[in-house]
Amino acid sequence: MHKLVFATNNQHKTDEIRLALAGQYEILNLNDIGCTEDIPETADTFEGNATLKSSYVVENFKLDCFADDSGLEIEALNNEPGIFSARYSGSRDTVENMQLVLQKLKGQTNRRAKFKTVISLMIAGQNHIFEGVIEGTIRESLSGIKGFGYDPIFQPNGYDITFAEMEMEEKNKISHRAIALKKMMEFLKG
Ligand code: IMP
């Protein structure tokens, strides 16, 4: 079976993809191939960072690979935190990161925001890019305890709850990541 590396250490993400592509691709993650290096993410776009990760694996392990990079873009903040989402406040503390966002948006009526995921799939020497976006608004305060990252302040359009108040199964059906992954899987199955 065709081996395909998912450039992640997240076992949960790996299992999901493995199940979805069962019988078609043998999905391996970074741990499975013995890649322990911290792959640099020094580009200034999601696409650039996803491509840095996928090409690192292709070059060093000679295997086809895909990698994702995601973040939150807030319109009134010139699309910040963007690629800096994980450490916006200078730390990885998600509450501090959300508090910084809320402070910067104080008094701001434009609360429009989107989560974005970009996947780079390097297969047979070609880079294929897939993007997933979910639009919504930033709440005035935190609400809900499920999920991770900025979920407690992000309310997707068409809902009156935040991502952090939503069941995981529901978020996983509509999220930026789900949309990008679905596009890649349709490509791989086609
Ligand atoms: P990653 O590229 O998937 O690791 O995402 C980078 C950062 O973006 C995370 O550390 C979070 O701060 C933020 N982020 C990405 N996806 C989500 C999400 O689904 N909910 C909340 N925050 C997210």
Side-chain angles (χ1 to χ4, degrees):
M1 212 185 318
H2 191 113
K3 285 189 168 66
L4 183 61
V5 179
F6 183 8
T8 183
N9 286 310
N10 185 319
Q11 192 60 42
H12 179 76
K13 281 190 187 178
T14 312
D15 291 343
E16 256 184 35
I17 296 285
R18 198 167 270 160
L19 188 69
L21 292 171
Q24 289 170 296
Y25 290 87
E26 183 188 345
I27 303 295
L28 306 167
N29 63 23
L30 294 176
N31 189 36
D32 297 326
I33 62 169
C35 178
T36 51
E37 292 93 311
D38 220 357
I39 305 174
E41 291 182 41
T42 48
D44 55 8
T45 58
F46 296 125
E47 180 176 333
N49 280 328
T51 302
L52 278 178
K53 286 187 269 186
S54 60
S55 25
Y56 182 92
V57 171
V58 170
E59 278 159 29
N60 290 279
F61 294 85
K62 312 290 175 220
L63 288 166
D64 288 336
C65 177
F66 69 94
D68 67 346
D69 199 43
S70 314
L72 177 66
E73 292 185 342
I74 300 172
E75 197 174 274
L77 302 181
N78 293 318
N79 289 335
E80 282 184 17
I83 57 162
F84 305 109
S85 292
R87 311 178 133 267
Y88 192 41
S89 66
S91 98
R92 286 193 169 270
D93 187 303
T94 54
V95 174
E96 280 178 28
N97 288 333
M98 285 187 283
Q99 253 141 19
L100 180 58
V101 164
L102 294 181
Q103 185 194 317
K104 289 197 177 199
L105 284 180
K106 219 171 201 153
Q108 175 61 252
T109 50
N110 175 8
R111 317 283 301 187
R112 276 201 294 271
K114 50 171 104 85
F115 273 121
K116 195 181 273 182
T117 293
V118 176
I119 295 176
S120 153
L121 169 68
M122 284 275 204
I123 196 159
Q126 292 237 320
N127 190 15
H128 302 269
I129 298 292
F130 305 93
E131 195 175 287
V133 171
I134 179 152
E135 307 219 9
T137 50
I138 301 296
R139 286 276 193 93
E140 300 279 346
S141 59
L142 281 64
S143 197
I145 54 164
K146 299 189 186 86
F148 71 102
Y150 297 88
D151 283 348
I153 57 169
F154 182 81
Q155 177 175 307
N157 288 348
Y159 290 80
D160 57 7
I161 55 174
T162 67
F163 261 174
E165 294 171 307
M166 205 176 262
E167 292 306 323
M168 197 174 79
E169 292 74 27
E170 193 172 6
K171 179 188 165 190
N172 285 344
K173 273 187 217 154
I174 63 166
S175 78
H176 45 309
R177 217 176 335 276
I179 295 166
L181 281 171
K182 191 159 168 258
K183 288 183 185 171
M184 182 188 76
M185 286 193 290
E186 274 161 13
F187 171 85
L188 285 171
K189 286 179 178 171

